[in-house]
Amino acid sequence: MCEDSRAILDELFGKERNVVASKRKNDAHYWNEDVCKNILVSKCFNDLWKHTKYDHEGECNKRHDQFFINEFSSDRSLKKQQREKKYIEEAIAYIQDKLKEVDKILTKHEEQVEQSSKLQVADRPKEIQDRLDNMERQINLLTDQSEKMGEQGKIEESERLIMEADNLKKAREDVLLAYEGTNNPFKTYKICEVCGARQSLYETENKVKTHLDGRIHQGFSTIRVELQKLQVRRLVLEKILEEEARKQEFKEDIAKDKEQEKEKEREKQKDKKEKERSRSRENSREKSKKKSSKKKKDKEKEKERSKSRKHNKKHHKH
């Protein structure tokens, strides 16, 4: 058998697949240290970041055999559920650490945009600011008129006015972007909320697609989806384990009650035996007293008979 085929069979059925059952060591299990736990509850995350700046851990050196995945899936024991919860919590912690890196980038960019914008509002030329203010007033006026038309039941007129307001909003944003795009470098790009990558506001459709299909974006998109699944599964497991804990506590209470009943019965039997022994001792004492009394009486009778015999002899002589 070639090495590739042997490796495939090892992965599917375990390395001891050809060993007689009685001679198997049975030491290859999914809970062993050398098995990747992420692949059991989700997927191996190391593969998501190969050859990217987020590839901090490198290639995963744990085992990913299908044999272990099958063993994990088929295990229905309470111990397995406890292990699964632990593996899920570890996977969630890993994902959350990764997402913190993106959150830091987003927070930093938002702070830069806000700080730069505050500095530039005061520096805008009067004609630019007047134009922006005038457009803002027109937008508010169109919005108010649209609401009034809607209240009067003039739906088509209301929709036309709201469309004009939306177009004017976009025109105002273009004016603002045209000015700040050259004066505020932080407003010429945005940060992808999924992966934290910087994107120009003027990216072509092809570049946007390239970004979305890229390994980093796909990786972060994957772990965000996996995070939701893992959190749901963790809640399910928590409920299952809580229910099992209640059942176990109930069983222990029943066992405790039974043991207390047995203890009471043992005490009862002990008291009964003690009373029986006490009665037996009392009976023995009574018997002993009666026997002693009888001996005493018999002795006294014997004395009386002896006296009587002596008296009769004496009287006979006379």
Side-chain angles (χ1 to χ4, degrees), residues 187-201:
K187 283 206 168 182
T188 61
Y189 66 88
K190 64 178 180 178
I191 300 297
C192 177
E193 294 184 358
V194 174
C195 67
R198 179 185 293 192
Q199 293 176 288
S200 170
L201 294 175

Side-chain angles (χ1 to χ4, degrees), residues 37-248:
K37 304 305 185 294
N38 287 336
I39 204 168
L40 299 176
V41 296
S42 177
K43 56 184 61 188
C44 183
F45 303 125
N46 295 47
D47 295 339
L48 300 175
W49 320 110
K50 281 183 180 179
H51 312 304
T52 71
K53 62 181 179 180
Y54 293 102
D55 187 11
H56 305 317
E57 299 86 6
E59 188 174 353
C60 181
N61 58 5
K62 303 280 188 177
R63 295 181 65 179
H64 303 82
D65 303 20
Q66 186 64 39
F67 170 77
F68 297 121
I69 298 173
N70 294 341
E71 182 189 33
F72 177 79
S73 300
S74 61
D75 190 351
R76 295 290 182 270
S77 67
L78 176 63
K79 186 67 176 176
K80 181 256 186 172
Q81 292 172 329
Q82 292 170 337
R83 287 178 174 134
E84 183 180 3
K85 182 173 178 289
K86 177 176 178 290
Y87 301 159
I88 285 176
E89 287 173 345
E90 290 172 351
I92 287 175
Y94 171 88
I95 291 174
Q96 288 175 336
D97 283 343
K98 279 291 184 186
L99 295 180
K100 282 179 184 177
E101 298 183 51
V102 176
D103 292 339
K104 286 179 183 178
I105 296 171
L106 286 168
T107 302
K108 183 179 179 181
H109 178 68
E110 288 169 2
E111 290 173 352
Q112 289 172 331
V113 170
E114 184 179 358
Q115 184 178 7
S116 181
S117 295
K118 286 179 179 178
L119 293 174
Q120 289 213 326
V121 169
D123 297 334
R124 283 179 192 157
K126 187 176 183 303
E127 60 271 19
I128 296 293
Q129 190 60 51
D130 288 346
R131 186 178 177 187
L132 291 171
D133 292 342
N134 183 47
M135 295 175 84
E136 185 67 29
R137 284 193 293 271
Q138 291 182 49
I139 291 168
N140 292 334
L141 180 61
L142 288 168
T143 302
D144 291 340
Q145 289 176 346
S146 174
E147 291 177 356
K148 289 178 181 178
M149 291 296 104
E151 291 172 359
Q152 295 173 14
K154 299 177 180 180
I155 306 302
E156 291 183 3
E157 184 64 16
S158 175
E159 290 178 349
R160 184 186 66 79
L161 290 170
I162 203 66
M163 190 177 295
E164 286 185 25
D166 289 340
N167 291 335
L168 198 54
K169 283 180 185 178
K170 187 177 184 305
R172 187 179 184 281
E173 289 174 1
D174 290 340
V175 171
L176 191 60
L177 187 60
Y179 169 71
E180 293 191 343
T182 56
N183 295 278
N184 185 350
F186 298 110
K187 283 206 168 182
T188 61
Y189 66 88
K190 64 178 180 178
I191 300 297
C192 177
E193 294 184 358
V194 174
C195 67
R198 179 185 293 192
Q199 293 176 288
S200 170
L201 294 175
Y202 310 104
E203 292 282 21
T204 63
E205 187 177 338
N206 285 339
K207 284 190 176 181
V208 171
K209 187 178 185 304
T210 299
H211 165 73
L212 296 177
D213 293 340
R215 185 182 289 275
I216 292 178
H217 185 90
Q218 285 293 312
F220 276 102
S221 179
T222 297
I223 64 172
R224 288 180 186 279
V225 172
E226 290 301 310
L227 177 60
Q228 293 178 345
K229 292 179 182 178
L230 290 169
Q231 288 171 332
V232 170
R233 179 58 182 164
R234 180 172 62 178
L235 288 174
V236 172
L237 285 170
E238 284 174 352
K239 290 180 180 179
I240 291 173
L241 293 174
E242 284 173 7
E243 182 62 26
E244 287 297 329
R246 281 194 292 269
K247 287 180 181 178
Q248 183 62 30

